[in-house]
């Protein structure tokens, strides 16, 4: 089963495609990827395995997902210092560069959250982390140029990183950099984060502005990293009322999650009327994810991807995020790209993928086992949270 070998045998796709949005119903979807993204990572025992990216691309290729006329593949360029400085501090950027090459920065690595706990230092982390940020920027530029209507930076979504701090497996915050860049272009941005963990780094980045609406749905911070994301975190100053948090109980299943999502996200995003929708599609809400206790299946994920697609104002920058079950992540993100590009893939996994990675079906045929009493308790708690958020947001 698997390995970290690049599976992309097709030619490189230069960061210079000049395709234009096609007429018709299907959106022009750009998929942002290069094998350099999964050449190395935090190391063998770390839960964030680069193989999740390789497998996702392998599954999409096996389905022929990139063959359509309305689909393009973009190979990102690494973000420059100037681009990183849209969000990160120069001393942090320098420290990542020095540590990545095996050197010692003037300030100890641990002061930047590197080399401790969740964020071990590895050779090449500077280059890989810059590519992930460059992917978000490549997508954002194409959306504004009108060469695509949705861009999937599937290796991004590193929503915990702070200006001078690595956190929760995130070194550079591709989302915050891309949104800052969109702001320099005069855009209003709605950000929706469906990762199981609170999108704390992105929320903090835009906490005091009314030009970015951030909405995060996640497992209750009393039970999961990073321990924040409560309903009373609503933003400060000009940004008051532009941060929205929806903490959900462990065990939340498709039905309860979708109820909370549909009650809150569409009305909030429509009222805000963004120019660009940015989303973080972490799939660690899946019931088989080893790091969280949420109870979603691919059925819920598909419904969420469709809901988000319907909210796009015609410019949708979307990125990956968490997801630590290697059998789940490729399937969920393949289904996501299917929604983005208007493709419906057969349920039987392609033979070449199955032979290499195992599995049988694209969509889950089983789900979590939850007794009726727990289900109704979880639903009751979620309904209370929804009511409180609606009141705070004046819905
Ligand atoms: Zn997560």
């Amino acid at each position: 089963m698997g390995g970290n070998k690049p599976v992309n045998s097709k030619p490189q796709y230069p960061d210079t495609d000049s395709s234009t949005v096609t007429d018709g119903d299907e959106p022009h979807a750009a998929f942002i990827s290069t094998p350099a993204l999964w050449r190395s990572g935090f190391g063998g025992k770390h839960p964030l395995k680069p193989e999740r990216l390789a497998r996702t691309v392998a599954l999409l290729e096996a389905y022929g997902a990139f063959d359509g006329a309305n689909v393009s593949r973009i190979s990102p360029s690494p973000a420059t210092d100037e681009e990183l400085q849209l969000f990160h501090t120069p001393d942090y950027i320098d420290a990542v560069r020095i540590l990545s090459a095996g050197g010692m920065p003037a300030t100890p690595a641990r002061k930047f959250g590197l080399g401790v706990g969740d964020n071990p230092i590895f050779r090449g982390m500077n280059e890989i982390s810059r590519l992930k940020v460059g992917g978000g920027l490549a997508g954002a530029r194409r959306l504004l140029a009108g060469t695509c209507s949705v861009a999937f930076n599937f290796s991004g979504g590193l929503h915990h990183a702070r200006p001078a701090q690595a956190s929760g497996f995130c070194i550079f915050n591709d989302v915050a950099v891309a949104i800052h860049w969109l702001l320099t272009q005069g855009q209003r941005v709605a950000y929706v984060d469906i990762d199981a963990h609170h999108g704390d780094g992105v929320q903090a980045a835009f906490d005091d502005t009314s030009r970015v609406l951030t909405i995060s749905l996640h497992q209750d911070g009393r039970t999961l990293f990073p321990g924040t994301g409560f309903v009373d975190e609503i933003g400060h100053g000009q940004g008051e009322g532009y941060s929205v948090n929806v903490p959900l109980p462990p065990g939340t299943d498709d039905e309860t999650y979708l109820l909370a999502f549909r009650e809150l996200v569409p009305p909030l995003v429509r009222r805000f009327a963004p120019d660009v929708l940015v989303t973080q599609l972490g799939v660690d809400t899946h019931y088989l994810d080893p790091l969280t206790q949420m109870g979603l299946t691919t059925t819920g994920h598909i419904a969420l991807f469709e809901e988000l697609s319907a909210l796009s104002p015609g410019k949708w920058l979307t990125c990956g995020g968490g997801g630590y079950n290697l059998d789940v992540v490729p399937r969920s993100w393949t289904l996501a790209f299917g929604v983005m590009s208007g493709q419906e893939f057969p349920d039987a996994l392609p033979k070449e993928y199955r032979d290499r990675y195992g599995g049988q079906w694209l969509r889950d045929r089983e789900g979590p086992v939850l007794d009726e009493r727990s289900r109704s308790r979880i639903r009751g708690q979620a309904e209370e949270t929804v009511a409180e958020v609606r009141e705070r947001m004046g819905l």
Side-chain angles (χ1 to χ4, degrees):
M1 284 258 300
N4 285 336
K5 273 187 291 179
V7 293
N8 188 346
S9 57
K10 294 191 176 174
Q12 287 295 295
Y13 300 83
D15 190 3
T16 51
D17 96 311
S18 57
S19 52
T20 50
V21 176
T22 46
D23 291 332
D25 295 337
E26 287 178 354
H28 190 103
F31 186 83
I32 301 164
S33 170
T34 177
L37 288 164
W38 53 87
R39 280 204 186 113
S40 64
F42 287 115
K45 288 188 180 152
H46 196 281
L48 186 69
K49 302 194 188 312
E51 188 185 335
R52 63 212 278 280
L53 303 178
R55 280 204 199 190
T56 301
V57 170
L59 184 54
L60 284 162
E61 285 182 342
Y63 273 123
F66 304 124
D67 298 345
N70 71 319
V71 171
S72 54
R73 281 175 80 166
I74 311 296
S75 181
S77 307
T80 64
D81 282 4
E82 196 185 356
E83 289 167 339
L84 291 175
Q85 282 176 33
L86 286 164
F87 179 64
H88 292 287
T89 63
D91 60 338
Y92 179 63
I93 295 167
D94 282 344
V96 172
R97 184 195 347 260
I98 292 164
L99 289 163
S100 176
M104 291 275 280
T107 306
R110 62 186 154 74
K111 291 256 166 76
F112 298 111
L114 288 161
V116 286
D118 287 345
N119 315 297
I121 294 159
F122 63 95
R123 285 265 180 175
M125 68 177 183
N126 178 52
E127 291 74 14
I128 287 183
S129 303
R130 280 174 187 252
L131 276 175
K132 293 176 180 179
V133 179
L137 289 167
R141 289 196 171 100
R142 273 172 178 74
L143 289 165
L144 295 204
T147 57
C148 64
S149 51
V150 52
F152 189 15
N153 183 33
F154 85 127
S155 70
L158 304 169
H159 58 174
H160 298 305
R162 302 303 181 111
Q165 189 85 25
S167 173
F169 320 154
C170 305
I171 298 171
F172 292 138
N173 193 323
D174 57 293
V175 182
V177 171
I179 295 176
H180 271 299
W181 183 81
L182 287 165
L183 292 178
T184 68
Q185 305 300 302
Q187 306 289 299
R188 279 163 60 81
V189 177
Y191 171 69
V192 182
D193 186 322
I194 60 169
D195 193 280
H197 301 90
H198 175 223
D200 58 341
V202 180
Q203 174 181 302
F206 306 104
D207 182 63
D208 59 353
T209 175
S210 60
R211 291 176 63 205
V212 181
L213 170 68
T214 65
I215 305 175
S216 179
L217 297 93
H218 44 262
Q219 184 175 323
D220 191 322
R222 288 171 297 186
T223 63
L224 192 67
F225 179 90
T228 52
F230 299 103
V231 291
D232 61 348
E233 296 169 36
I234 59 167
H236 294 104
Q238 296 282 317
E240 191 174 322
Y242 292 89
S243 295
V244 182
N245 282 288
V246 189
L248 295 164
T252 296
D253 63 1
D254 288 340
E255 197 184 317
T256 297
Y257 192 106
L258 284 164
L259 175 127
F261 185 98
R262 287 175 176 144
E263 281 277 313
L264 296 170
V265 180
L268 286 167
V269 171
R270 293 208 171 99
R271 183 173 75 182
F272 182 74
D275 300 306
V276 182
L277 175 68
V278 178
T279 62
Q280 200 269 20
L281 304 183
V283 289
D284 45 7
T285 50
H286 194 273
Y287 78 104
L288 296 176
D289 194 276
L291 296 197
T292 78
Q293 289 77 46
M294 295 292 271
L296 275 68
T297 69
T298 57
T299 308
H301 287 167
I302 296 166
L304 287 168
F305 303 146
E306 285 171 346
E307 291 278 345
L308 291 168
S309 178
L311 289 173
S312 168
K315 294 195 274 279
W316 180 16
L317 175 63
T318 187
C319 43
Y324 306 97
N325 181 316
L326 289 175
D327 294 318
V328 170
V329 176
R331 294 189 291 116
S332 246
W333 285 347
T334 293
L335 290 161
F337 193 64
V339 170
M340 292 169 204
S341 57
Q343 303 183 76
E344 180 109 7
F345 303 118
D347 209 28
L349 291 172
K351 185 175 182 312
E352 62 187 278
Y353 182 84
R354 257 188 0 230
D355 286 351
R356 185 159 185 186
Y357 297 114
Q360 192 172 6
W361 307 111
L362 178 60
R363 297 162 188 84
D364 288 333
R365 298 197 163 191
E366 292 175 7
V369 178
L370 195 61
D371 64 84
E372 209 37 58
R373 219 170 124 187
S374 305
R375 190 190 302 273
S376 78
R377 175 182 50 79
I378 289 164
R379 192 180 176 106
Q381 285 175 10
E383 281 172 347
E384 273 176 36
T385 299
V386 167
E388 194 176 341
V389 174
R390 285 189 70 95
E391 192 181 329
R392 284 180 186 273
M393 292 298 143
L395 287 176

